């Protein structure tokens, strides 16, 4: 009587189909052999008496033989006494001949020659069985026995130890299985490639270490199937091997046990498999280490989702003998990292071609669909996003159905999940923290395929810990973050998230968090049924032709953060004459082809991060200045009726501004101060009428703007621009040009002669070509502050009234000064300035000069006392002339820092009060407000040239000194350590012979 091993017939088949005589070997040899097969994970067929015995084998047994990978024939003395065994043998050899099936033999207590020739006791039993049988049948049996005897196998007579023979048989079977394609995995296309890559990662030849390897991927992607295929292929290389499946579900099913008890339970389960001891009981958590530390084992822990499970089952590599391999399958990458598993194999989705093959196997029974099903099969495959579980579930559900039935099933598949798929996928979602669940729903309903940075910007005000939460979801295989930083959620998981939201309020969509269904959105906007629960609305207008928006459609949606209407300029809407309200908490306002002329007047843009309204009918956005500190992106392209750009002075974080093809815009001024994220000025904008462009502080702006040559005021300070095009010399209407603080200009730029105010402070150029600056006859002000590499100043235009070169620490030389008597020259902290240049400055006719110097020059009357103010008293009796036209003064400030200047009150002043008599009474007061450096590295001189106003129109102003004269100097932020005066008298020249006081 023939029988087999461990389980009833299954669709996937078995590793071994044993054919034997139960009378001879069932309770002895075979029982030990089957037990060893079980220990090695080799699955054998066993009908457990469910198949009724007779003279001929039934279809169930024929199917079992055909689906088994190996047939093992145990030939004993009574084998031929059963026609059942003989018919079984005939079918086994037929499969060997027609399908190439592997057949192995064991001669147990019988000589192979007796089997081949049907002699001896074996032959006598055969003759008895043949009595009364048809000659054709007996001839087939004889030939089969001859053929099977010619297949070399193990002979029990040649073994002294039966246990050793059994070990040899099991090893041979295992080795044969490793080289024979497994029917268990024939429906997973590409399994061989997965197993090969995993085998490389396992490094099986390295027996001097215990290696833990993770198999990581999304639910339903095939991790368990790949692990089983790997197990079947490599398990014979280990002393012990065992596969613990579905650990996550087992863990959840245990209740009423504390943490310690759970770990004991897991260890008992593992050891019972490892040493084949059912109902084993252990008393402490060191049992695994005690029993397995000297054995080379293969352990597969399938579907792990808690670190406690790994701690209980494989806490340390030294629990197992050298050469052991521990394989963990999980959806959670972080779990593997936490446990120190660094060798991780990520299971990716199959390619489109592989997905079609997988789907076709389940739907049609072979690897490609029939020609008339190809298109619909490809569409169905796309719906499940190539996920193997989805492919198998949908393929099986559609198998045997006609094309019309497939077409009817597709609409539901597009909008809802199969119940079996939902059950599998929602396990991962249900295990999430509440914040991570919220992020999952945001991505599923609104932000799939968006960049991480954008999602973080739009959700910045939430308390969801977006960056951390996205990483958690990625680690748990609930989404994927691509190499370019894009969040990608599988289509089936996206469907799961949308079903979760739908269940929040099945029959009243206005009470859900997100609205994505076109028909439901139409109803909510038309009937004004939205509520404070709604966070986001996303609608592709092309998917509906009946959208009607009430003027109060958004009135009750006070918490709406994200509004996205995707369309094109041809998508028309049925709208009210005006829209009364848009929620103030909006962070994303994306409305293609916006149908009104302006935004509701009471709309507040305080929280707006993105304003995208291309192809709109807008004429104007809003009046006045809006609070736009959060705004990062504005797209108004192709808004052909838009007449003006709103005031963007508050949009200090603006990154992109798109005004392409806004044909009606005629800009006079464009102000974008401090837009630290903006990288380029919008292109394709009508800037022909631009008079002024203010972009100071746009620190990411790299390209010099392409604007009208008629611009008058150009402010590009603290940008990232490195070069000014030479074509700027043709901008003949430019009056003010500022590129201070760029820190990148290495050459002094070409500047048109028309410029009056030029600011180039804190840049990298070393010199100023005289040929570029001297012809600038209109130049009034030149700011070179903090140009640390500037070595010399050439001859400058006579028109200059203000020059600031403070903190030019490398400045050594100044050529002849041609500045006017009203000029101001600041050279604070220019410590390398040579003496010739210092003398040139001090003796110039500049109204005010500031430069390093430790004391008052000898040709000034000076005092050595110090303080925040000093005064000089000139007695009239000591003055040789009673009429003076002005005076020259020198005030020395002490080195040090100014707390007021450092705190931001940088404008300080040096005051001089002159008291004298003119036409009975006269008081003259002068003050020079200047921006001193916040830190004076040494003492500095302030040189003043004061010429009195001409009050009689006779050339110079004159003052009659008919009483005592007082000079009082004050500086509120720095200490004065000396001062000196020199009176200028009528027709007197400034030389060494002048009167000194």
């Amino acid at each position: 009587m023939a029988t087999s091993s461990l389980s009833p017939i299954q669709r996937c088949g078995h590793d071994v189909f044993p054919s034997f005589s139960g009378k001879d070997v069932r309770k002895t040899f075979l029982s030990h052999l089957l037990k060893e097969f079980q220990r090695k994970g080799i699955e054998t067929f066993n009908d457990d008496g469910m198949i009724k015995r007779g003279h001929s084998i039934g279809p169930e047994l024929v199917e079992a033989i055909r689906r088994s990978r190996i047939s093992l024939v145990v030939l004993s003395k009574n084998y031929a006494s059963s026609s059942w065994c003989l018919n079984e043998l005939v079918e086994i050899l037929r499969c060997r001949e027609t399908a190439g099936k592997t057949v192995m033999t064991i001669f147990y207590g019988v000589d192979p020659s007796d089997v081949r020739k049907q002699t001896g006791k074996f032959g006598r039993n055969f003759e008895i069985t043949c009595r009364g049988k048809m000659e054709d049948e007996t001839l087939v049996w004889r030939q089969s026995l001859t053929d099977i005897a010619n297949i070399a196998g193990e002979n029990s007579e040649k073994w002294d130890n039966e246990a050793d023979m059994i070990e040899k048989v099991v090893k041979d079977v295992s080795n044969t299985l490793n080289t024979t394609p497994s029917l268990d995995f024939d429906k997973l296309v590409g399994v061989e490639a997965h197993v090969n890559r995993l085998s490389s990662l396992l490094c099986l030849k390295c027996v001097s270490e215990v290696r833990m390897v993770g198999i990581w991927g999304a639910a339903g992607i095939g991790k368990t199937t790949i692990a089983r295929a790997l197990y079947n292929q490599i398990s014979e290389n280990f002393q012990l091997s065992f596969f613990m499946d579905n650990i996550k579900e087992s863990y959840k099913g245990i209740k009423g046990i504390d943490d310690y008890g759970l770990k004991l339970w897991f260890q008992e389960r593992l050891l019972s498999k490892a040493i084949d001891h059912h109902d084993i009981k252990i008393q402490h958590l060191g049992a695994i280490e005690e029993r397995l530390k000297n054995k080379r084992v293969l352990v597969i822990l399938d579907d792990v989702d808690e670190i406690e499970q790994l701690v209980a089952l494989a806490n340390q590599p030294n629990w197992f003998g050298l050469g052991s391999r521990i394989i963990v399958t999980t959806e959670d990458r972080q779990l593997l990292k936490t446990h120190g598993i660094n060798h991780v194999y990520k299971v990716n989705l199959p390619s489109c071609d592989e997905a079609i093959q997988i789907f076709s196997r389940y739907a049609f029974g072979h690897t490609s669909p029939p020609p008339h099903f190809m298109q619909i099969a490809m569409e169905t495959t796309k719906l499940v996003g190539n996920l193997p579980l989805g492919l198998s579930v949908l393929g099986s559900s559609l198998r045997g159905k006609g094309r019309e039935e497939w077409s009817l099933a597709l609409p539901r598949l597009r909008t809802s999940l199969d119940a079996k798929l939902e059950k599998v996928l929602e396990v991962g979602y249900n295990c999430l923290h509440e914040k991570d669940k919220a992020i999952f729903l945001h991505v599923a309903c609104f932000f799939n395929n968006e960049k991480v940075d954008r999602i973080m910007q739009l959700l910045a005000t939430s308390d969801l810990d977006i960056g951390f939460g996205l990483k958690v979801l990625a680690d748990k295989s609930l989404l994927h973050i691509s190499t370019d930083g894009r969040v990608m959620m599988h289509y089936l998981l996206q469907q799961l998230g949308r079903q979760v939201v739908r269940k929040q309020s099945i029959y009243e969509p206005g009470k859900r968090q997100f609205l994505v269904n076109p028909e439901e959105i139409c109803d909510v906007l038309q009937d004004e049924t939205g509520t404070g629960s709604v966070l986001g609305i996303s609608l592709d207008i092309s998917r509906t032709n009946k959208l009607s928006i009430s003027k109060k459609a958004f009135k009750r949606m006070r918490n709406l953060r994200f509004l996205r209407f995707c369309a094109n300029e041809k998508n028309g809407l049925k709208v009210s004459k005006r829209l009364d309200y848009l929620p103030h908490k909006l962070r994303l306002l994306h409305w293609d082809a916006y149908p009104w002329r302006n935004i509701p007047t009471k709309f507040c843009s305080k929280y707006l991060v993105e304003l995208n309204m291309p192809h709109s009918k807008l004429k104007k956005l809003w009046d006045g200045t809006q609070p736009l500190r959060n705004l990062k992106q504005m797209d108004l392209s192709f808004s052909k009726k838009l007449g003006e750009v709103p005031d963007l002075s508050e949009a200090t974080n603006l990154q992109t501004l798109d005004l392409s093809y806004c044909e009606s815009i005629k800009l006079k001024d464009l102000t974008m101060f401090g837009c630290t994220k903006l990288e380029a000025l919008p292109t394709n904008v009508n800037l022909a009428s631009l008079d002024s462009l203010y972009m100071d502080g746009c620190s990411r702006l790299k390209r010099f703007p392409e604007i009208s040559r008629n611009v008058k005021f150009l402010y590009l300070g603290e940008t990232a621009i490195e070069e000014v095009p030479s074509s700027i010399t043709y901008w003949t209407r430019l009056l003010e040009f500022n590129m201070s603080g760029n820190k990148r200009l290495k050459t002094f730029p070409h500047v048109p002669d028309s410029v009056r105010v030029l600011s180039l402070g804190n840049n990298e150029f070393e010199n100023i070509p005289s040929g570029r600056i001297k012809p600038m006859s209109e130049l009034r002000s030149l700011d070179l502050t903090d140009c640390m590499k500037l070595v010399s100043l050439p001859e400058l235009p006579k028109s200059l009234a203000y020059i600031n070169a403070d903190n030019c620490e490398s400045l050594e030389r100044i050529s002849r000064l041609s500045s006017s008597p009203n000029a101001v020259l600041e050279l604070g902290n220019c410590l390398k300035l040579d003496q010739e240049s210092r003398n040139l400055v001090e003796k110039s006719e500049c109204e005010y000069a500031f430069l390093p110097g430790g004391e008052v020059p000898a040709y000034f009357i000076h005092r050595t006392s110090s303080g925040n103010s000093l005064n000089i008293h000139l007695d009239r009796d000591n003055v040789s002339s009673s009429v003076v036209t002005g005076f020259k003064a020198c005030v020395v400030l002490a080195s040090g820092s100014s707390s007021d200047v450092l705190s931001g009150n940088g404008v300080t002043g040096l005051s001089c009060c002159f008291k004298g008599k003119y036409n009975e009474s006269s008081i003259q007061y002068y003050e020079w407000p200047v921006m001193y450096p916040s830190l004076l590295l040494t003492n500095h001189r302030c040189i003043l040239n004061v010429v009195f106003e001409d009050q009689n129109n006779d050339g110079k102003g004159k003052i009659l000194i008919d009483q005592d004269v007082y000079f009082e100097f004050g500086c509120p932020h720095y200490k004065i350590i000396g001062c000196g005066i020199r009176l200028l008298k009528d027709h007197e020249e400034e030389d060494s012979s002048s009167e000194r006081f």
Side-chain angles (χ1 to χ4, degrees):
M1 181 179 290
T3 184
S4 295
S5 175
L6 295 176
S7 62
I9 298 174
Q10 300 176 7
R11 287 188 61 207
C12 61
H14 300 83
D15 293 326
V16 177
F17 180 93
S19 179
F20 58 92
S21 170
K23 180 179 179 181
D24 289 338
V25 298
R26 181 189 295 278
K27 295 181 179 181
T28 55
F29 169 75
L30 186 67
S31 63
H32 298 298
L33 178 63
L34 297 183
K35 184 175 183 179
E36 193 63 23
F37 278 154
Q38 183 182 11
R39 287 167 59 84
K40 290 298 185 181
I42 297 172
E43 187 178 4
T44 56
F45 171 74
N46 177 21
D47 64 14
D48 286 335
M50 291 186 296
I51 299 178
K52 185 177 180 181
R53 266 51 175 172
H55 293 290
S56 62
I57 61 174
E60 302 98 331
L61 204 59
V62 171
E63 180 68 12
I65 293 170
R66 290 175 178 175
R67 293 188 59 78
S68 294
R69 299 170 66 187
I70 297 174
S71 289
L72 179 61
V73 182
V74 182
L75 295 154
S76 59
K77 291 179 180 179
N78 289 300
Y79 184 89
S81 63
S82 169
S83 58
W84 177 280
C85 286
L86 294 172
N87 286 329
E88 201 171 68
L89 178 62
V90 171
E91 183 61 33
I92 288 171
L93 292 174
R94 182 182 294 120
C95 288
R96 180 176 185 253
E97 180 68 25
T98 59
K101 293 291 184 179
T102 300
V103 178
M104 301 177 71
T105 59
I106 297 174
F107 298 93
Y108 190 80
V110 66
D111 191 289
S113 177
D114 287 342
V115 176
R116 184 180 301 109
K117 300 176 181 178
Q118 297 93 53
T119 56
K121 186 177 180 180
F122 184 90
R124 289 194 294 271
N125 288 333
F126 176 71
E127 293 298 335
I128 294 172
T129 305
C130 291
R131 291 173 184 171
K133 300 298 188 295
M134 299 294 292
E135 184 178 357
D136 290 345
E137 186 176 14
T138 60
L139 287 174
V140 171
W141 287 348
R142 286 184 184 277
Q143 185 61 49
S144 296
L145 289 171
T146 301
D147 291 341
I148 197 69
N150 288 328
I151 297 176
E154 296 300 329
N155 188 339
S156 63
E157 299 297 327
K158 295 182 179 181
W159 285 87
D160 295 331
N161 187 316
E162 189 169 286
D164 290 343
M165 186 184 77
I166 289 175
E167 184 178 350
K168 173 65 165 55
V169 170
V170 172
K171 184 176 181 180
D172 289 345
V173 168
S174 182
N175 288 336
T176 303
L177 286 172
N178 289 338
T179 58
T180 305
S182 171
L183 296 176
D184 290 345
F185 310 103
D186 62 349
K187 284 185 167 41
L188 183 59
V189 175
V191 66
E192 184 178 355
H194 287 298
V195 169
N196 288 340
R197 286 191 287 267
L198 264 168
S199 297
S200 175
L201 194 63
L202 284 167
C203 192
L204 295 175
K205 292 183 180 179
C206 183
V207 295
S208 60
E209 66 168 322
V210 176
R211 178 170 291 197
M212 293 187 178
V213 173
I215 301 177
W216 171 56
I221 204 167
K223 301 182 297 297
T224 300
T225 310
I226 293 168
R228 287 192 183 279
L230 179 70
Y231 179 83
N232 280 1
Q233 185 175 102
I234 68 173
S235 58
E236 83 286 350
N237 296 316
F238 299 86
Q239 291 174 276
L240 297 174
S241 57
F242 36 94
F243 192 113
M244 289 188 67
D245 60 350
N246 209 10
I247 291 176
K248 177 167 62 180
E249 288 302 315
S250 301
Y251 185 75
K252 291 177 181 177
I254 304 173
K255 297 180 181 179
I257 305 178
D258 62 14
D259 182 64
Y260 190 82
L262 277 174
K263 290 177 181 177
L264 285 176
W265 182 87
F266 271 119
Q267 290 206 0
E268 288 172 352
R269 186 180 171 200
L270 186 146
L271 282 175
S272 69
K273 284 179 171 288
I275 62 178
D276 196 20
H277 183 171
H278 297 290
D279 300 323
I280 190 173
K281 296 295 180 183
I282 62 175
Q283 304 301 320
H284 59 85
L285 295 179
I288 289 180
E289 183 178 6
E290 288 180 357
R291 301 296 294 269
L292 302 180
K293 65 182 179 181
N294 294 319
K295 291 183 172 59
R296 186 167 184 255
V297 299
L298 172 64
V299 182
I300 294 188
L301 305 176
D302 177 52
D303 204 11
V304 175
D305 71 336
E306 296 287 348
I307 191 64
E308 289 82 3
Q309 298 159 8
L310 286 179
V311 171
L313 296 170
N315 190 37
Q316 298 292 336
N318 59 15
W319 282 15
F320 310 95
L322 293 178
S324 294
R325 295 296 182 263
I326 316 301
I327 299 172
V328 180
T329 77
T330 183
E331 297 169 25
D332 191 346
R333 174 66 184 269
Q334 186 58 43
L335 182 146
L336 299 174
K337 290 182 179 179
T338 302
H339 201 61
I341 299 177
N342 300 317
H343 301 285
V344 178
Y345 179 70
K346 181 184 178 183
V347 184
N348 294 313
L349 290 169
S351 66
C352 292
D353 288 342
E354 290 174 331
I356 285 288
Q357 293 179 49
I358 295 170
F359 176 76
S360 297
R361 280 190 176 275
Y362 286 94
F364 308 108
H366 40 81
T367 57
S368 62
H372 59 290
F373 271 90
M374 177 60 78
Q375 188 61 39
I376 197 167
M378 291 177 64
E379 185 176 355
T380 308
T381 302
K382 186 177 180 181
L383 281 176
V384 297
N386 294 7
L387 188 71
L389 176 64
L391 296 169
S392 65
V393 170
L394 291 186
S396 298
S397 68
L398 295 170
R399 186 165 188 169
K401 296 181 179 179
R403 197 174 188 283
E404 184 177 350
E405 292 177 279
W406 280 49
S407 298
L408 292 174
L410 284 180
R412 173 175 288 189
L413 294 177
R414 292 190 186 101
T415 58
S416 61
L417 282 177
D418 175 90
K420 181 178 179 181
L421 282 173
E422 182 175 5
K423 183 179 180 180
V424 172
L425 297 176
E426 70 181 356
V427 172
Y429 171 79
N430 290 335
C431 293
L432 293 173
H433 184 279
E434 291 303 314
K435 288 187 176 182
D436 298 329
K437 285 183 178 179
I439 297 173
F440 179 88
L441 297 182
H442 274 81
V443 174
C445 297
F446 221 90
F447 295 117
N448 196 13
N449 293 316
E450 296 290 351
K451 289 289 189 72
V452 170
D453 290 345
R454 183 172 185 243
I455 296 174
M456 293 183 68
Q457 289 172 2
L458 290 171
L459 295 176
T461 57
S462 69
D463 62 346
L464 297 179
D465 303 323
I466 305 302
F468 178 77
L470 288 174
K471 185 178 185 303
V472 169
L473 295 178
D475 285 341
K476 292 184 179 294
S477 304
L478 293 172
L479 55 81
H480 169 66
I481 299 177
S482 64
T483 53
D484 65 343
R486 192 175 297 277
V487 171
M488 304 173 73
M489 181 175 285
H490 191 276
Y491 178 78
L492 294 180
L493 288 169
Q494 185 178 23
Q495 288 293 88
L496 172 69
R498 295 186 175 191
Q499 284 193 193
V500 170
V501 170
R502 184 175 181 274
K503 291 176 182 178
Q504 293 172 351
S505 178
I506 294 177
Y507 301 109
E508 295 183 73
K511 294 182 178 180
R512 301 174 195 161
Q513 286 182 305
F514 297 97
L515 299 176
V516 295
N517 180 276
E519 293 183 0
E520 291 173 337
I521 292 174
C522 291
D523 292 340
V524 169
L525 296 181
Q526 184 173 353
D527 301 338
E528 301 175 10
T529 55
T531 68
S533 298
V534 181
L535 299 178
I537 299 175
S538 180
L539 173 65
D540 182 350
I541 298 176
S542 64
R543 294 177 60 190
T544 179
N545 54 10
K546 62 174 185 177
L547 180 59
S548 177
I549 302 178
S550 166
K551 66 179 182 179
K552 296 182 178 180
F554 301 100
K555 190 68 176 179
R556 297 172 59 204
M557 300 186 214
R558 60 186 179 278
N559 292 313
L560 187 67
R561 264 73 164 178
F562 317 107
L563 179 60
R564 179 168 59 203
F565 283 173
C566 297
N568 57 55
E569 57 183 334
K570 296 181 179 179
N571 284 124
L573 303 177
K574 183 181 180 182
V575 297
S576 58
K577 291 182 179 180
R578 60 187 174 88
L579 186 65
D580 277 1
Y581 176 82
L582 279 174
H584 293 171
K585 293 183 180 180
L586 274 177
R587 295 183 64 77
L588 171 65
L589 176 53
H590 182 122
W591 197 322
D592 294 337
Y594 181 79
W596 292 282
R597 294 183 177 181
N598 51 23
I599 289 178
T601 54
K602 294 182 179 181
F603 174 63
C604 177
S605 60
K606 179 180 179 180
Y607 297 102
L608 262 186
V609 176
E610 292 186 18
L611 176 64
N612 302 321
M613 307 182 87
H615 297 283
S616 74
K617 293 184 179 179
L618 285 165
K619 286 190 172 182
K620 189 177 186 179
L621 276 171
W622 52 66
D623 292 317
T625 302
Q626 281 274 5
L628 299 170
R629 291 298 177 91
N630 289 305
L631 188 65
K632 298 183 183 297
Q633 178 174 310
M634 177 181 282
D635 182 1
L636 299 170
S637 58
F638 294 92
S639 296
K640 297 182 180 180
K641 295 183 179 181
L642 187 65
E644 61 183 72
V645 178
D647 186 346
L648 299 177
S649 58
E650 292 289 320
T652 55
N653 289 302
L654 188 65
Q655 295 177 358
T656 58
L657 172 63
D658 193 345
L659 299 172
S660 305
Y661 303 104
C662 294
E663 299 171 354
S664 300
I665 292 180
K666 293 184 178 180
L667 288 176
K668 288 289 185 183
D669 301 315
L670 183 56
T671 301
M672 304 178 74
F673 280 128
C675 295
T676 57
K677 308 297 183 182
L678 192 69
E679 295 187 358
L681 191 68
T683 57
N684 296 326
V685 184
N686 184 358
L687 299 176
S689 58
L690 193 67
D691 275 345
S692 55
L693 175 63
Y694 300 92
M695 298 186 73
D696 276 359
C698 298
S699 56
R700 291 191 180 181
L701 186 69
K702 295 182 179 180
R703 190 173 62 183
F704 198 86
E706 297 178 7
I707 55 176
S708 166
R709 292 182 178 181
N710 295 322
V711 69
K712 295 179 181 178
F713 304 96
L714 183 58
Y715 283 74
L716 300 171
E718 297 182 29
T719 64
I721 297 172
E722 297 182 357
E723 185 177 359
V724 179
S726 58
S727 59
I728 195 175
T729 56
Y730 299 106
W731 297 16
T732 56
R733 302 184 67 180
L734 186 62
L735 301 178
E736 295 186 14
F737 183 37
N738 184 343
M739 289 193 70
S740 289
N742 285 45
K743 302 180 182 180
R744 289 173 170 81
L745 289 180
K746 297 188 182 300
T747 58
F748 191 85
H750 295 271
V751 183
D753 295 346
S754 59
V755 170
R756 297 180 180 179
V757 178
L758 179 60
S759 300
L760 298 170
N762 203 350
N763 275 294
E764 296 290 300
F765 49 81
E766 297 181 4
N767 58 75
I768 302 175
S770 178
R772 289 189 186 177
I773 195 167
K774 188 176 180 180
M776 298 176 65
S777 58
E778 301 295 324
L779 189 62
R780 301 288 187 271
S781 174
L782 176 62
D783 184 1
L784 301 171
T785 311
D786 296 313
C787 289
M788 303 294 190
K789 296 184 178 181
L790 183 63
V791 175
S792 64
L793 284 178
E795 185 175 351
L796 301 173
K798 295 181 180 181
S799 57
L800 268 174
Y802 176 75
I803 305 171
N804 188 340
D806 284 343
N807 295 323
C808 291
E809 59 183 30
S810 300
L811 186 63
E812 299 176 359
R813 299 179 303 280
I814 298 177
S815 299
R816 183 169 60 90
L817 292 173
S818 303
S819 52
S820 68
N822 295 321
V824 172
L825 179 58
E826 297 184 27
L827 299 165
N829 290 330
C830 296
L831 305 185
K832 291 185 178 181
L833 200 63
D834 61 23
Q835 190 59 47
E836 184 179 352
S837 297
R838 297 184 189 213
N839 293 339
L840 183 67
V841 172
E842 290 173 357
K843 294 184 179 181
S844 71
E845 295 183 353
C846 291
E847 180 180 359
Y848 171 82
F850 183 69
L851 73 163
E855 58 184 19
V856 178
Y859 56 86
F860 289 97
I861 295 176
H862 62 279
R863 309 293 288 273
T864 57
S865 58
S866 63
N868 273 20
S869 65
L870 287 179
N871 58 71
I872 297 177
H873 172 211
L874 299 181
D875 191 322
R876 180 182 179 282
D877 294 336
N878 296 325
V879 179
S880 59
S881 174
S882 61
V883 178
V884 295
T885 58
F887 63 88
K888 192 166 188 171
C890 176
V891 179
V892 180
L893 303 181
S895 62
S897 61
S898 165
S899 59
D900 290 323
V901 176
L902 286 171
S903 66
N905 301 319
V907 177
T908 184
L910 175 68
S911 62
C912 172
C913 182
F914 169 83
K915 296 179 181 180
K917 185 84 171 182
Y918 179 71
N919 289 339
E920 301 301 326
S921 64
S922 176
I923 296 178
Q924 298 288 333
Y925 177 81
Y926 295 90
E927 182 172 10
W928 291 264
V930 293
M931 183 76 75
Y932 292 145
S934 58
L935 174 66
L936 297 182
L937 300 175
T938 187
N939 296 344
H940 276 65
R941 296 172 180 173
C942 305
I943 308 295
L944 311 177
N945 278 295
V946 180
V947 178
F948 297 143
E949 294 180 4
D950 182 6
Q951 301 183 27
N952 294 321
N953 296 318
D954 60 353
K956 289 185 178 180
K958 301 174 182 177
I959 290 182
L960 175 67
I961 299 179
D962 57 3
Q963 64 178 22
D964 292 352
V965 180
Y966 297 89
F967 295 89
E968 183 176 349
F969 300 96
C971 185
H973 303 314
Y974 292 99
K975 184 179 180 180
I976 297 177
I977 60 175
C979 60
I981 291 293
R982 177 180 179 139
L983 294 179
L984 303 179
K985 301 175 182 179
D986 198 14
H987 304 303
E988 178 181 83
E989 296 295 334
E990 287 295 320
D991 56 31
S992 59
S993 62
S994 298
E995 184 176 5
R996 296 175 183 171
F997 297 89

